[in-house]
């Protein structure tokens, strides 16, 4: 199996399961760099990890800044998370555990990056349609991995475990950043989904 080439040490095993397990469970495709930001990994780790897996995954060249990682074989995600199909413990990804990790990282990212009027819109009461350069403001002020966290934290939360660490992060989020998240969701055009996100997380 091609994926086995990426396993040489226990450290490699943990890293590959983290990176590949996240790729198959992400709600949106991400570039290697943005996946590193999302997972809190050092620069270059994702590309090095995926180097032996180019027959399974399409990894964009380093100069393709906005290029995203794509899965070649549609059956690969199902194989990797299904204990009846994948009988190698060193490969098998636990979806619930992986979603828990992703939910925790999303909450950490939002707690660490959200704030009032991130896009510096004046006046702050201006309607989105009246902000001519809104897409460029968003791109500058709310990086892709932060947008991902804002869009999908509750979905990962629903599919993962509710740990004490996550409860602590949710408490910080709801007390300090809930309105900031709603503001960013509105700017991204996702405000209609925000109520569903909160209902999911309830």
């Amino acid at each position: 199996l091609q994926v086995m080439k990426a396993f040489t040490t226990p450290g490699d095993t943990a890293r590959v399961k983290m990176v590949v397990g996240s790729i198959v469970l992400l709600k949106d495709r991400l570039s290697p760099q943005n996946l590193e930001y999302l997972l809190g990994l050092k620069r270059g780790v994702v590309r090095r990890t995926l180097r032996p897996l180019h027959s399974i995954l399409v990894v964009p060249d380093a100069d393709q800044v906005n290029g995203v990682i794509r899965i070649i074989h549609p059956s690969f995600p199902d194989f990797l998370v299904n204990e009846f199909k994948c009988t190698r413990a060193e490969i098998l990804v636990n979806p619930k555990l992986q979603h828990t990790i992703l939910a925790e990282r999303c909450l950490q990212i939002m707690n660490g990056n959200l704030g009032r009027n991130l896009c510096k819109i004046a006046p702050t009461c201006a309607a989105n349609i009246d902000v001519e350069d809104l897409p460029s403001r968003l791109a500058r002020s709310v990086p892709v991995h932060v947008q991902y966290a804002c869009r999908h934290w509750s979905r990962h939360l629903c599919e993962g475990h509710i740990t004490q660490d996550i409860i602590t992060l949710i408490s910080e989020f709801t007390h300090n950043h809930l309105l900031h998240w709603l503001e960013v969701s509105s700017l991204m055009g996702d405000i209609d989904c925000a109520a569903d996100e909160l209902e999911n997380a309830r």
Side-chain angles (χ1 to χ4, degrees):
L1 188 66
Q2 182 71 18
V3 71
M4 290 302 297
K5 293 182 180 180
F7 293 91
T8 57
T9 69
D12 291 335
T13 300
R15 188 179 68 252
V16 171
K17 289 182 80 167
M18 169 67 76
V19 173
V20 179
S22 295
I23 290 169
V24 301
L25 294 176
L26 287 176
K27 304 303 180 181
D28 293 328
R29 294 171 179 169
L30 294 175
S31 69
Q33 185 177 34
N34 284 317
L35 182 58
E36 286 164 355
Y37 291 149
L38 181 66
L39 297 178
L41 299 174
K42 293 181 179 178
R43 186 174 181 178
V45 167
V46 168
R47 289 188 182 280
R48 289 197 301 273
T49 300
L50 300 182
R51 195 170 294 134
L53 305 177
H54 284 197
S55 65
I56 299 170
L57 301 167
V58 175
V59 182
D61 294 334
D63 59 354
Q64 293 180 280
V65 179
N66 297 317
V68 296
I69 302 167
R70 292 187 292 108
I71 298 170
I72 295 176
H73 302 288
S75 61
F76 180 59
D78 181 55
F79 166 78
L80 206 61
V81 302
N82 190 318
E83 61 183 319
F84 300 106
K85 295 180 180 180
C86 179
T87 57
R88 305 292 293 269
E90 63 269 42
I91 300 175
L92 181 66
V93 171
N94 182 328
K96 209 161 185 65
L97 176 59
Q98 198 65 37
H99 279 299
T100 303
I101 293 170
L102 288 167
E104 186 171 325
R105 281 298 303 155
C106 285
L107 287 163
Q108 289 172 344
I109 287 166
M110 291 192 298
N111 287 342
N113 290 275
L114 294 184
R116 186 174 182 275
N117 197 15
L118 282 181
C119 292
K120 296 180 173 57
I121 294 172
T124 55
C125 61
N128 290 352
I129 196 171
D130 295 327
V131 184
E132 294 182 1
D133 58 344
L134 182 56
S136 60
R137 283 178 182 262
L138 263 175
R140 288 195 307 269
S141 304
V142 188
V144 170
H145 69 289
V146 179
Q147 293 188 34
Y148 180 94
C150 288
R151 281 195 174 103
H152 300 303
W153 65 274
S154 74
R155 298 182 190 181
H156 290 301
L157 186 68
C158 289
E159 297 181 53
H161 298 288
I162 304 300
T163 65
Q164 186 57 53
D165 286 343
I166 282 182
I167 290 173
T168 300
L169 288 166
I170 289 175
S171 178
E172 179 183 352
F173 170 69
T174 54
H175 281 87
N176 300 324
H177 299 293
L178 183 60
L179 292 179
H180 304 151
W181 169 69
L182 288 171
E183 178 185 318
V184 169
S185 295
S186 174
L187 295 175
M188 293 191 301
D190 291 342
I191 195 63
D192 289 342
C193 301
D196 292 336
E197 296 269 345
L198 289 176
E199 180 62 24
N200 289 339
R202 186 170 62 87

